[in-house]
Amino acid sequence: MIEIKPDIYYVGVKNPDMRIFDVFFKTESGTTYNSYLIVGKEKIALIDTVKEPFRDEFIKNIEEIVPLEKINYIITLHHEPDHSGALKYILEKSNARVVISKTAGLFLKQILHRDANPLLVGDNDKISLGNITLEFIQAPFLHWPDTMFAYIPERNILFTCDFLGQHFSDEEIYNDESRDFTYAFEHYYKIIMRPFKDYVLQAIKKIENKNIDMIAPSHGMILRKDPWKYVDLYRTWSTPKPRDYRRALVFYASPYGGTGKLANSIAKGLADSGVYVEIFDLAGTVIDDSLLDLIENSDALIVGSSTLNGDAIKPVWDLLSSLTTINMRNKIGFAFGTFAWSGEAPKFIENRLKDLKLKVPETSFRAGIIPTEDDLQRAAEMGKKLAGYIIGPSSSVPA
Ligand code: FEO
């Protein structure tokens, strides 16, 4: 238990040994489940709880300050179970009213399996604890629809849930006393917040005029030194980078070279029409952060695979399953491939591109295992056609 501001206590728990979060998110430095207890002169509020297996340590932390039955409000900023897992146990031992955003009712019911009669709050709604006021700021899709922030004007502190968090655990709790967590901060943004850049910018607009000298997220270090530096990083990463040309990326998997030939022909058609094209043979392509940045900053994703045993080849699925942390909506998509007898791969790729919310204006393209000159000509023509969907009137190709 640490008093981080007068009457505001850190009561979270640390999980330094965790190495994978949510099954896929590598966390070399573990994580923390931060929670904060606010002891007003008239009322007491708890901000967020912790993951269920840590509830006993969590309850002990709270009860070092007050008995659970003294808590009047439990503010649930977001209902993912790493923050709401211990909620039902706290509720069983207190008469607290749960306070949630107006979009969170369904999530709360899913977690508690009952109607808890929560207090619903919206933008600028306030709860008084006597000498301390909690103000609420809706921050939808950061990273669930229900996310909100809480601000205490009397203490200049903002509670941001996952926003500005890090999967990082240290002996210390403050950013100016911990080991370096730059990587964890950036990686967290890329995995959790990157698909929601517009929402990040909207949330920053809502907080940028408030007096804030401490930001208390629900994971990782509390940002008390230069808190706005971290907000500015989010702002920079979320602000679109203007480009005066259109970029298409062509990926292919081609055991016998035919799908690769189609890829090159499509790319030639695109390039001849003024689209800047980069081609990737998936046999030697590493799917890393740099590649995901490039995909995010492109206008079209064109993916080809030969058909193997009625399916697309594994490196293609590796690529297509790596795109959930990028907003692919409205990019142009297209699928192609060669086949010997059944040829399902292009259709499977096309469906996946549609599921990722790309625009797929043309039906996928197939050719025999060794494409003919006519096939290659048709592929080039398809590239020109796709360029028509991709290119804008003022686009130019970089030198
Ligand atoms: Fe840390 Fe979205 O939960």
Side-chain angles (χ1 to χ4, degrees):
M1 175 274 288
I2 300 170
E3 190 171 24
I4 61 170
K5 287 263 186 181
D7 311 312
I8 301 176
Y9 299 87
Y10 176 84
V11 290
V13 298
K14 297 177 181 178
N15 185 5
D17 299 325
M18 187 182 70
R19 289 295 173 267
I20 299 276
F21 183 85
D22 275 359
V23 184
F24 74 101
F25 187 156
K26 287 185 184 162
T27 52
E28 286 86 353
S29 298
T31 195
T32 67
Y33 309 106
N34 298 345
S35 170
Y36 305 93
L37 188 72
I38 302 151
V39 183
K41 287 207 183 309
E42 292 174 13
K43 305 268 188 190
I44 296 175
L46 181 68
I47 294 191
D48 280 333
T49 70
V50 302
K51 199 171 180 178
E52 193 272 338
F54 298 88
R55 70 175 196 247
D56 292 342
E57 182 183 347
F58 176 54
I59 290 169
K60 187 165 158 284
N61 290 349
I62 296 171
E63 292 200 315
E64 281 180 19
I65 307 162
V66 294
L68 291 185
E69 58 265 25
K70 293 276 187 194
I71 298 172
N72 301 99
Y73 299 109
I74 302 174
I75 320 293
T76 309
L77 297 177
H78 149 54
H79 286 76
E80 195 166 3
D82 52 327
H83 308 296
S84 62
L87 177 61
K88 71 175 177 181
Y89 300 97
I90 308 290
L91 281 175
E92 280 167 9
K93 296 182 179 179
S94 73
N95 296 310
R97 183 106 188 252
V98 186
V99 180
I100 62 174
S101 70
K102 288 177 178 169
T103 51
L106 176 64
F107 299 127
L108 185 64
K109 254 189 197 162
Q110 284 179 343
I111 284 156
L112 298 178
H113 299 157
R114 67 181 174 87
D115 185 357
N117 187 29
L119 180 60
L120 304 180
V121 290
D123 256 339
N124 302 315
D125 284 349
K126 297 177 179 58
I127 290 177
S128 173
L129 307 181
N131 56 327
I132 293 176
T133 314
L134 281 161
E135 291 182 12
F136 298 98
I137 299 159
Q138 302 302 298
F141 294 101
L142 298 176
H143 62 121
W144 275 25
D146 61 334
T147 306
M148 63 178 179
F149 302 160
Y151 173 61
I152 297 182
E154 296 89 351
R155 300 288 186 275
N156 296 340
I157 183 169
L158 182 72
F159 301 92
T160 55
C161 198
D162 289 323
F163 189 77
L164 303 171
Q166 329 98 45
H167 282 317
F168 183 79
S169 182
D170 191 87
E171 292 290 304
E172 307 296 337
I173 66 165
Y174 297 114
N175 65 324
D176 54 308
E177 293 179 346
S178 73
R179 292 173 290 129
D180 180 42
F181 61 94
T182 308
Y183 172 78
F185 183 80
E186 184 170 346
H187 193 56
Y188 192 91
Y189 172 87
K190 283 189 168 171
I191 300 290
I192 303 291
M193 296 295 162
R194 170 148 75 173
F196 305 106
K197 291 183 170 183
D198 289 348
Y199 292 99
V200 168
L201 295 174
Q202 286 170 25
I204 290 173
K205 268 205 176 323
K206 290 185 179 182
I207 62 171
E208 64 190 357
N209 293 321
K210 296 197 181 294
N211 285 324
I212 296 167
D213 59 29
M214 183 182 285
I215 292 176
S218 295
H219 294 292
M221 300 299 99
I222 296 171
L223 310 172
R224 79 175 171 184
K225 185 179 181 199
D226 299 331
W228 289 102
K229 177 181 91 174
Y230 299 92
V231 176
D232 286 340
L233 283 171
Y234 264 37
R235 193 199 314 268
T236 301
W237 294 334
S238 299
T239 302
K241 290 158 193 63
R243 238 185 313 117
D244 64 356
Y245 60 92
R246 298 287 185 263
R247 175 192 284 133
L249 305 182
V250 180
F251 292 90
Y252 68 91
S254 182
Y256 295 104
T259 302
K261 284 184 178 172
L262 292 180
N264 279 285
S265 293
I266 293 170
K268 183 170 186 321
L270 286 162
D272 286 350
S273 305
V275 175
Y276 177 67
V277 190
E278 295 182 46
I279 308 179
F280 297 84
D281 180 349
L282 283 166
T285 299
V286 177
I287 300 166
D288 58 10
D289 274 354
S290 302
L291 185 69
L292 295 179
D293 287 344
L294 185 65
I295 293 171
E296 184 181 43
N297 196 24
S298 297
D299 303 293
L301 185 67
I302 295 165
V303 183
S305 176
S306 305
T307 295
L308 178 67
N309 294 338
D311 201 353
I313 301 174
K314 183 175 179 297
V316 172
W317 289 121
D318 289 344
L319 173 73
L320 294 174
S321 66
S322 300
L323 304 177
T324 47
T325 59
I326 302 174
N327 184 354
M328 300 296 292
R329 197 177 288 271
N330 293 328
K331 294 185 192 301
I332 299 295
F334 181 68
F336 65 97
T338 56
F339 69 109
W341 65 96
S342 56
E344 293 91 339
K347 185 51 77 179
F348 290 164
I349 295 168
E350 181 180 315
N351 289 341
R352 173 65 177 157
L353 295 175
K354 287 177 179 170
D355 289 343
L356 287 166
K357 307 287 190 292
L358 283 88
K359 287 183 181 165
V360 183
E362 293 290 333
T363 304
S364 55
F365 181 104
R366 297 193 311 175
I369 190 166
I370 308 294
T372 63
E373 283 306 314
D374 184 52
D375 291 329
L376 298 179
Q377 186 57 39
R378 285 194 299 124
E381 290 303 319
M382 179 57 78
K384 288 181 183 168
K385 210 167 178 184
L386 291 171
Y389 299 107
I390 297 166
I391 204 159
S394 61
S395 293
S396 58
V397 181

